[in-house]
Amino acid sequence: MLIFFWIKLFGLSCSVFKLTVFFIDYTQKVYFFPLKPKLRALLSTKKYWKMCQHEFERPRNSNFITDVYDGTTWQQFMGPYNYPNYRLGFVMCIDGIPAFAAGTKSLIPWVWRNDSLPPTQRVQLKNIILYMLLDDSIKYEKQRKYFDFAVDYELHELYQDGLDGVRVKVFCSSLDIKGKEEMSGMFVCSAIIIIIIVVLMLIAGLY
């Protein structure tokens, strides 16, 4: 388990065990669960390893798009498939959840979905990999340092060199509109806002 204490004034760090906790400016707490040990354990099981061969073993029809594998984006990014499969396509999923039934606290989990598994297995809870847990109060640019840490800590290495010969490629991210706002720091313009802007421009004589 890894425990990191990041204090802005002193830059102090300490590591023990498997869980990583960040303290930034004394107010932000983030739990980080390294991917490598969990992925190594999964790939060491025969059943999981066999499921990761789905892209090669599945039935296919060149006249139809039946899975993400048939799309040009997947094919260009992931490269050709072979047996055995030594590259996995992961999807980054982030969304807010209530921590308690009373709704007094919200958390933002970052989880991985392995799209190299069969479709029926990808969204099974047992196959979803928890990667990071952020406090809901951490928004916009404050999140970026944690994502950068994950890339530097292991994601770049998993992409370039792989784990025991298996490369992990982050194919895409799955976010709702609110999540896209928070990650990009951009504001989604709804129809109501557009109408208000047009009305204001009409009043100002600019439209």
Side-chain angles (χ1 to χ4, degrees), residues 2 11 23 95 100 114 130 137 150-151 161 180 191:
L2 298 175
F23 294 99
D95 200 359
F100 307 105
N114 182 1
L130 178 62
S137 62
V151 171
D161 305 321
K180 290 177 182 177

Side-chain angles (χ1 to χ4, degrees), residues 46-166:
K46 291 183 179 179
K47 183 177 180 180
Y48 192 86
W49 173 253
K50 180 172 175 56
M51 288 194 300
C52 288
Q53 314 308 313
H54 173 70
E55 184 176 1
F56 181 86
E57 296 179 338
R58 72 188 177 104
R60 55 179 56 80
N61 186 324
S62 59
N63 296 317
F64 299 97
I65 295 178
T66 59
D67 205 339
V68 65
Y69 312 135
D70 298 319
T72 55
T73 302
W74 176 278
Q75 294 169 2
Q76 291 171 1
F77 180 71
M78 296 298 296
Y81 59 87
N82 296 294
Y83 186 90
N85 177 24
Y86 284 109
R87 88 284 188 274
L88 304 178
F90 274 34
V91 176
M92 169 188 182
C93 305
I94 298 180
D95 200 359
I97 59 170
F100 307 105
T104 55
K105 183 70 174 177
S106 294
L107 298 171
I108 304 175
W110 171 356
V111 301
W112 292 114
R113 187 184 77 213
N114 182 1
D115 273 12
S116 292
L117 297 176
T120 56
Q121 295 296 321
R122 293 171 196 166
V123 295
Q124 293 287 330
L125 184 60
K126 61 183 178 182
N127 294 323
I128 297 293
I129 302 174
L130 178 62
Y131 194 52
M132 193 177 289
L133 201 57
L134 299 94
D135 190 284
D136 186 59
S137 62
I138 304 174
K139 305 286 188 181
Y140 308 114
E141 71 281 352
K142 293 181 180 179
Q143 294 179 349
R144 185 174 297 276
K145 55 181 168 283
Y146 303 113
F147 301 148
D148 290 343
F149 167 81
V151 171
D152 295 337
Y153 184 76
E154 61 181 354
L155 293 182
H156 181 73
E157 181 183 349
L158 287 170
Y159 176 81
Q160 291 288 348
D161 305 321
L163 177 70
D164 300 333
V166 179

